[in-house]
Amino acid sequence: MQRVFHHYELYGEQGGISTTITLPDGFDTARDRCHMAILMHGFLSNKRANPLYSISKALAREGIASIRFDFNAHGRSGGKFVNMTVSNEISDALAVVDYVLSLPYVSSISFVGHSQGGVVAGMLAGRLERDAARRPCCLVLLAPAAVLKDDALAGKCMLSRYDADNPPEYVKVMMHKLGRPFILEAQKLPIYETSMLYSGPVCLIHGKKDKIVPYSYSERYNEVFPDSTLELLEGEGHFMNGRLKDIVRLTVDFINKNGGLGC
């Protein structure tokens, strides 16, 4: 069962957040309770894209609910791209966490993040480590884009280049305006330092042919998390559409083991 909210049920710093909740078949929200995975997409992506779309369907078949949402300035959510930062994406994700935990049928939560959404998921999990009411049961990071900090320090984003010491008001990236606030924040972002505070189980999945985020960034995550496993996939790139079935299986099995039965 899929419910799409075209009107906004919740809001972030830049406006309304568009969400899609996917429930297991036959699930009764008035009677039943289940685990819910919160799925976070990457830079320039949206909640309708794979691998998160396929993960949501597979989770439902295992009796696990999920919520996908568009970060600010992406998809159907409000906001201007030039104002988007990792910090206000974390704020969006926290608003979704609070919304999900207000739903009477949700028993526990986990996070799944792809690319920049993986950075957000990891940092938010670290921030919530001591918040028992909101701490996720487990965390799945798909090609987490910790490279965004090094790229900002080097003055580049995809094919665009700029002066890292004096970034312009915005940089054009794939027909979007990446704002100076994003760049300046990214240069100092404590990605690993914050994420490593999370002590729960973490599954890292990364393609060995990822040309956008080298898998060495997941290797470093695997070193700093206290309880993590790393799955390196031969032949897989950043967008994870080559071995999608394997990625979905690894994600769903991990959530089933560490979150789906409660934590």
Side-chain angles (χ1 to χ4, degrees):
M1 182 193 311
Q2 189 173 93
R3 298 179 180 180
V4 181
F5 300 122
H6 293 296
H7 64 288
Y8 296 131
E9 294 285 322
L10 64 158
Y11 291 82
E13 293 178 9
Q14 286 216 68
I17 299 173
S18 179
T19 63
T20 301
I21 291 177
T22 303
L23 299 173
D25 286 342
F27 188 85
D28 186 341
T29 58
R31 182 192 65 216
D32 301 329
R33 284 173 61 80
C34 68
H35 182 84
M36 180 173 278
I38 300 174
L39 313 184
M40 308 181 199
H41 68 76
F43 183 78
L44 293 178
S45 188
N46 60 69
K47 67 180 183 294
R48 300 180 298 281
N50 272 324
L52 301 186
Y53 176 83
S54 293
I55 289 171
S56 71
K57 300 302 180 185
L59 287 170
R61 291 193 291 271
E62 295 295 322
I64 300 171
S66 65
I67 182 168
R68 289 171 284 132
F69 66 98
D70 291 327
F71 282 113
N72 68 85
H74 290 77
R76 296 176 177 173
S77 289
K80 295 181 178 180
F81 197 84
V82 72
N83 296 326
M84 181 272 300
T85 65
V86 172
S87 286
N88 58 38
E89 286 201 344
I90 291 173
S91 178
D92 289 344
L94 186 57
V96 174
V97 168
D98 288 338
Y99 170 71
V100 165
L101 291 175
S102 75
L103 300 173
Y105 58 86
V106 173
S107 58
S108 55
I109 61 172
S110 58
F111 296 166
V112 179
H114 177 230
S115 194
Q116 185 166 300
V119 171
V120 172
M123 292 185 69
L124 182 56
R127 291 186 184 186
L128 296 179
E129 170 64 20
R130 296 186 179 182
D131 188 339
R134 297 192 288 183
R135 180 182 183 274
C137 293
C138 62
L139 180 62
V140 179
L141 303 185
L142 309 170
V147 69
L148 67 85
K149 180 175 183 176
D150 290 338
D151 282 352
L153 289 168
K156 64 180 182 178
C157 182
M158 295 186 174
L159 299 178
S160 300
R161 299 292 184 271
Y162 55 88
D163 181 356
D165 294 327
N166 185 27
E169 181 182 352
Y170 63 84
V171 177
K172 287 189 177 180
V173 179
M174 303 289 288
M175 300 180 67
H176 289 73
K177 295 179 179 180
L178 183 69
R180 179 182 172 91
F182 178 97
I183 296 167
L184 293 177
E185 177 190 82
Q187 291 176 344
K188 300 179 180 179
L189 204 61
I191 297 174
Y192 291 110
E193 296 87 344
T194 303
S195 300
M196 67 188 291
L197 299 176
Y198 179 68
S199 65
V202 180
C203 179
L204 297 150
I205 304 173
H206 213 126
K208 281 194 169 183
K209 283 194 173 181
D210 192 331
K211 296 181 179 180
I212 296 176
V213 182
Y215 65 83
S216 58
Y217 286 90
S218 276
E219 288 180 322
R220 184 175 177 192
Y221 270 113
N222 195 40
E223 291 173 357
V224 302
F225 277 123
D227 180 11
S228 63
T229 58
L230 173 61
E231 301 284 350
L232 295 178
L233 304 182
E234 295 287 348
E236 186 58 84
H238 186 67
F239 298 105
M240 299 195 150
N241 51 17
R243 297 182 58 180
L244 181 60
K245 289 184 179 179
D246 293 332
I247 292 160
V248 170
R249 176 183 54 80
L250 287 167
T251 301
V252 173
D253 287 352
F254 188 79
I255 293 175
N256 241 335
K257 177 182 178 181
N258 296 286
L261 301 178
C263 60

